[in-house]
Amino acid sequence: MAHRLALDDQRMETIMGRLLQVGVLLASAVVLAGGFLYIRAHLGSIVNYRTFAGEPAALRSVRGLFRLLMTGDPAAVIQVGVILLIATPVARVVFAVVGFALERDKLYVAVSVTVLAVLMASLIYSI
């Protein structure tokens, strides 16, 4: 007989807390690395504050971001860190849906799915 992993409230809370910690630390490390790369690439540059120069449009699409990331663009590395930071609470809600489903807690599954739907709608709408 297979040993089944018990997923009680305390264990779920611990895993969710660890998920949030790891997500924030990973995002912070990526943004920090991108920041160092950005400073190194622009060290000694003269900045003209009279005109606004936005970031490239490629940073706003997955394909463009991936392309810039493969070329080692520091702004793309920072962007990936920001995406990881945004994805962290979304991953927590996904884990909550799965965890509550395993516990067969229909009310909390419904609440978590609703929260996930609102999160996804706001992410999709903001693009």
Side-chain angles (χ1 to χ4, degrees), residues 36-94:
F36 281 129
L37 292 172
Y38 191 87
I39 289 171
R40 191 181 81 192
H42 293 90
L43 195 61
S45 297
I46 306 289
V47 180
N48 182 3
Y49 290 108
R50 295 185 191 278
T51 59
F52 176 75
E55 291 298 326
L59 287 174
R60 288 182 246 141
S61 71
V62 175
R63 182 173 296 163
L65 179 63
F66 186 71
R67 189 173 21 86
L68 288 175
L69 195 58
M70 291 298 109
T71 64
D73 185 279
V77 176
I78 294 170
Q79 185 78 345
V80 168
V82 171
I83 290 170
L84 285 171
L85 188 62
I86 292 169
T88 298
V90 175
R92 184 239 186 257
V93 175
V94 169

Side-chain angles (χ1 to χ4, degrees), residues 7-26 88-89 91-93 95-96:
L7 192 64
D8 59 354
D9 290 341
Q10 180 65 34
R11 182 153 169 79
M12 270 188 63
E13 189 175 312
T14 301
I15 293 171
M16 283 187 204
R18 193 66 65 198
L19 176 68
L20 291 172
Q21 286 175 337
V22 169
V24 169
L25 288 174
L26 180 63
T88 298
R92 184 239 186 257
V93 175
F95 177 78

Side-chain angles (χ1 to χ4, degrees), residues 92-112:
R92 184 239 186 257
V93 175
V94 169
F95 177 78
V97 170
V98 172
F100 291 133
L102 289 174
E103 287 184 347
R104 301 188 199 300
D105 192 337
K106 293 177 184 176
L107 176 63
Y108 283 112
V109 168
V111 170
S112 297

